[in-house]
Amino acid sequence: MHDSSVNQNSDLRQKARERMVENQIRKRGISDSRVLDAMRRVPREEFVSHESKDFAFDDCALPINCSQTISQPYTVAYMCAAAQLSGNENVLEVGCGSGYGAAVLSLLAREVHTVERIPELVQQAKERLQRLGYSNVHVYTSDGTLGVPEAAPFDVIIVTAGAESLPDPYLTQLKEGGRIIIPIGTEFTGQTMYRFTLKNGKLSEENLGAFSFVPLIGEFGWPG
Ligand code: SAM
């Protein structure tokens, strides 16, 4: 391909990301300028399969390998905004999937540790994140319901799969003042998003509304 058509394609994708952020995220009430900027900068099209490239900026989750999904852009932005990141945080993301959410978080926090239970997804996400230069993201293969004790304590824990309840290990890996953003539901599909905040050793919870995620499978999650 000639240089001019490569540049033209990259301009088109940049414009598509800008429209995605304006129409699907900012107009729906997310105003955190750092989150909007990170969503404009991360090339979502690089995190979807070849067959899904034309739909990369659509207002929906998309299939990735191993019957998993890359979350809807709005959901990624909503969770990042709910985490109230200022740039100096140590963050744990549970459910690395394609690596897209971790890439967005990497522009909003100091370090991002992201854990995925499916080794094939880990391998692909690592390759992408490295190729695209997200050097403050560390990817782990393990059961994320156990947290990542070696990288704790965390200012923020973001869980991108639907839990049955709040996994106990997160409580010992969260800093004072820290937040956990997690969808919880007793049904296998359909959850309520919660923000838990640890203040003076006590956890308070806020209901952030209804969402739908693939299940969080593990020792402190749903059975596999
Ligand atoms: N953040 C991802 C992205 O940007 O592509 C989307 C995540 S997808 C909605 C949820 C992911 O959670 C899936 O890849 C799934 O395999 C993973 N998952 C489910 N249970 C898990 C567990 N116990 N530990 C780690 N990952 C888990």
Side-chain angles (χ1 to χ4, degrees):
M1 210 186 276
H2 292 296
D3 277 1
S4 62
S5 41
V6 171
N7 288 341
Q8 219 173 18
N9 277 344
S10 114
D11 280 357
L12 286 174
R13 289 196 293 263
Q14 179 62 41
K15 288 212 167 77
R17 287 204 295 275
E18 280 169 19
R19 276 197 305 274
M20 172 188 94
V21 169
E22 180 59 20
N23 296 332
Q24 301 172 31
I25 300 172
R26 200 193 64 76
K27 279 189 180 160
R28 285 193 187 135
I30 294 179
S31 58
D32 182 327
S33 59
R34 295 183 70 244
V35 171
L36 298 177
D37 191 45
M39 296 292 295
R40 283 187 198 106
R41 282 169 59 195
V42 175
R44 185 169 164 88
E45 66 278 10
E46 297 286 342
F47 292 84
V48 302
S49 65
H50 189 67
E51 304 78 63
S52 293
K53 285 242 187 284
D54 286 349
F55 311 107
F57 310 108
D58 285 6
D59 190 14
C60 56
L62 290 171
I64 55 173
N65 287 349
C66 311
S67 310
Q68 301 303 319
T69 55
I70 174 172
S71 302
Q72 180 190 23
Y74 175 74
T75 303
V76 177
Y78 188 93
M79 294 182 91
C80 290
Q84 300 167 326
L85 296 162
S86 65
N88 199 30
E89 295 84 359
N90 188 35
V91 173
L92 171 65
E93 181 196 44
V94 178
C96 176
S98 67
Y100 175 71
V104 174
L105 286 167
S106 81
L107 301 182
L108 297 169
R110 181 171 42 83
E111 296 291 332
V112 178
H113 303 272
T114 179
V115 54
E116 171 59 56
R117 63 183 283 273
I118 302 177
E120 191 181 328
L121 294 181
V122 170
Q123 203 191 333
Q124 290 163 357
K126 263 191 183 162
E127 181 277 316
R128 275 187 195 117
L129 290 162
Q130 207 167 36
R131 175 167 51 81
L132 297 168
Y134 294 103
S135 55
N136 61 338
V137 179
H138 315 279
V139 189
Y140 305 78
T141 316
S142 62
D143 173 4
T145 68
L146 302 170
V148 177
E150 63 269 38
F154 301 106
D155 299 281
V156 164
I157 300 176
I158 291 190
V159 184
T160 69
E164 193 183 5
S165 58
L166 182 65
D168 283 347
Y170 297 169
L171 303 180
T172 55
Q173 294 178 31
L174 190 67
K175 282 188 197 169
E176 170 63 25
R179 283 88 60 205
I180 304 173
I181 314 298
I182 181 170
I184 297 180
T186 49
E187 302 285 325
F188 206 56
T189 56
Q191 300 89 18
T192 302
M193 185 89 74
Y194 289 94
R195 173 169 52 209
F196 292 95
T197 305
L198 187 63
K199 264 204 191 129
N200 303 322
K202 281 199 174 149
L203 213 55
S204 64
E205 73 174 53
E206 292 159 86
N207 179 331
L208 303 181
F211 285 82
S212 179
F213 284 85
V214 295
L216 181 74
I217 294 169
E219 190 175 331
F220 290 86
W222 295 94

